[in-house]
Amino acid sequence: MYAIVEIAGQQFKVSKDQKVFVHRLEGKEGDAVTFAKVLLLDDNGSVTLGAPAIDGASVEAKVLQHLKGDKVIVFKKKRRKGYKVKNGHRQSLTQIQISGITAPGAKKKTSKKAEAETAE
């Protein structure tokens, strides 16, 4: 099972237990985050396509760490004009681990003990 989900303005193909680097998210390390903008859902060959998003579908993830990406050098030059500008940039990133993908209309899994208590 995999999903294409929009996280912080970018689209990612994610599956359960996958680790992904995304643009910096709010929240502390160890927090759980939920992304509701699921654009496509594939459950063993049955594809559900959103228009633009699938209602009721969500992706749960856990924030592992906040870090900075590799340095990117931006150098601009105009020949014969004496114009040179050198700039650097390091993107702020968040590493998340996908903990689960919930399809629309799917029931949450409960333990047998909890089911027995509700049946009584």
Side-chain angles (χ1 to χ4, degrees):
M1 177 180 219
Y2 73 87
I4 296 180
V5 62
E6 186 173 319
I7 303 171
Q10 292 184 316
Q11 296 177 5
F12 295 93
K13 179 182 175 184
V14 296
S15 57
K16 190 170 175 8
D17 298 327
Q18 181 181 2
K19 293 180 182 177
V20 182
F21 289 103
V22 298
H23 288 305
R24 181 66 57 105
L25 298 174
E26 296 294 324
K28 299 177 182 167
E29 294 181 5
D31 286 353
V33 291
T34 303
F35 306 107
K37 196 155 186 184
V38 179
L39 306 173
L40 182 136
L41 196 61
D42 183 1
D43 191 9
N44 299 326
S46 65
V47 177
T48 306
L49 192 62
I54 301 171
D55 293 330
S58 64
V59 173
E60 291 83 27
K62 179 182 173 188
V63 175
L64 297 179
Q65 63 178 334
H66 296 293
L67 62 145
K68 290 184 111 179
D70 294 335
K71 181 173 265 194
V72 177
I73 303 297
V74 179
F75 184 74
K76 298 178 182 178
K77 179 182 177 181
K78 295 188 179 178
R79 62 186 194 156
R80 297 188 302 269
K81 305 295 181 205
Y83 174 78
K84 291 187 210 173
V85 175
K86 183 179 177 183
N87 245 329
H89 176 75
R90 289 186 72 187
Q91 184 68 38
S92 298
L93 301 172
T94 300
Q95 185 180 21
I96 60 172
Q97 182 171 14
I98 306 300
S99 56
I101 299 172
T102 306
K107 295 180 182 177
K108 289 205 170 200
K109 293 183 180 178
T110 57
S111 64
K112 291 181 181 179
K113 185 177 181 183
E115 288 178 5
E117 290 176 4
T118 57
E120 290 177 1

